[in-house]
Amino acid sequence: MSNILIINAHHKYPFSEGRLNGALVQMADELLKAKGHEARIVNIDEEWNVETELENHQWADTIILQSPVNWMGVPWTFKKYMDEVYTAGMGGQLCNGDGRHEDAPKKNYGAGGTLTGKNYMLSLTFNAPKESFDDENEYLFQGKSVDDLFFPMHMNFRFFGMKALPTFASFDVMKNAEAESDFKRFSTHIEENF
């Protein structure tokens, strides 16, 4: 079938041990393997190696980023991973620089990706309730969607030439968790997209 790299971007805090993100990673691994896919998992809180991670990205047909949303983005430990792994891959393993050429230095910024034909999927866990998105009357997001909020992350993967699969999100996980419902929705999401 295909090769799937699952990145668990959760960073443990005393108030957030990462059980939901860990369970979703384990569930994705089991569901994908049951469908005949190969899967590798990297946990950002554990040791990882830049060269191994570059090889993982080249091996994978699809990358699943499983991440909590901390202050409207990914945890700092995953940002460190990105800074080290993604920067190291700019010599052709992930992209050929920023895609521009000397003969047209103002055009095609970000078009140098070498992972074309590959996909990625964001799977996110939010403290925010679902109702805070896609509603112009809601104070913080002002009608914006989850994908609007994560536009920079989408652009990082697009920089490598990858295409997005639909985003999955669990909401209100700190105050009104509905883990069983989330697991059912996640199982359906994996079934529909892989």
Side-chain angles (χ1 to χ4, degrees):
M1 297 288 290
S2 65
N3 299 328
I4 318 291
L5 175 62
I6 306 169
I7 302 173
N8 183 352
H10 186 83
H11 177 66
K12 290 182 182 173
Y13 289 100
F15 62 88
S16 179
E17 296 175 9
R19 290 190 307 259
L20 178 58
N21 283 282
L24 291 168
V25 165
Q26 181 180 349
M27 192 172 177
D29 184 49
E30 291 170 2
L31 290 168
L32 292 165
K33 286 178 177 174
K35 292 182 73 142
H37 300 285
E38 293 291 323
R40 295 179 183 172
I41 298 170
V42 61
N43 290 296
I44 296 304
D45 265 356
E46 297 174 5
E47 271 190 48
W48 46 265
N49 173 277
V50 170
E51 290 305 316
T52 301
E53 294 312 307
L54 288 172
E55 190 276 323
N56 280 340
H57 278 68
Q58 291 174 315
W59 167 84
D61 298 302
T62 302
I63 295 170
I64 298 175
L65 175 62
Q66 179 62 57
S67 181
V69 178
N70 293 358
W71 294 106
M72 311 309 152
V74 295
W76 69 271
T77 46
F78 181 64
K79 179 64 169 73
K80 179 180 186 237
Y81 174 97
M82 291 169 54
D83 287 345
E84 293 185 14
V85 175
Y86 294 176
T87 300
M90 290 188 71
Q93 290 164 300
L94 304 178
C95 60
N96 289 310
D98 66 16
R100 295 181 288 170
H101 298 284
E102 290 178 13
D103 58 339
K106 303 289 185 190
K107 294 183 179 180
N108 294 317
Y109 177 78
T114 58
L115 300 184
T116 55
K118 297 178 183 247
N119 301 314
Y120 71 93
M121 184 185 97
L122 303 181
S123 179
L124 307 167
T125 58
F126 284 89
N127 178 49
K130 185 178 191 308
E131 293 76 10
S132 62
F133 292 96
D134 303 304
D135 183 346
E136 290 181 4
N137 296 313
E138 279 293 314
Y139 169 76
L140 187 61
F141 298 119
Q142 303 172 357
K144 302 289 191 290
S145 71
V146 166
D147 288 310
D148 290 332
L149 178 63
F150 268 73
F151 183 75
M153 188 57 59
H154 284 294
M155 291 305 94
N156 287 324
F157 286 110
R158 186 169 172 80
F159 202 87
F160 302 144
M162 301 178 80
K163 292 187 178 174
L165 295 175
T167 298
F168 178 83
S170 296
F171 299 96
D172 215 355
V173 301
M174 301 289 281
K175 295 183 179 171
N176 275 317
E178 295 182 2
E180 290 308 314
S181 172
D182 288 339
F183 294 151
K184 287 178 187 172
R185 289 188 311 104
F186 188 69
S187 179
T188 300
H189 193 86
I190 294 293
E191 183 64 34
E192 290 175 350
N193 289 288
F194 292 91

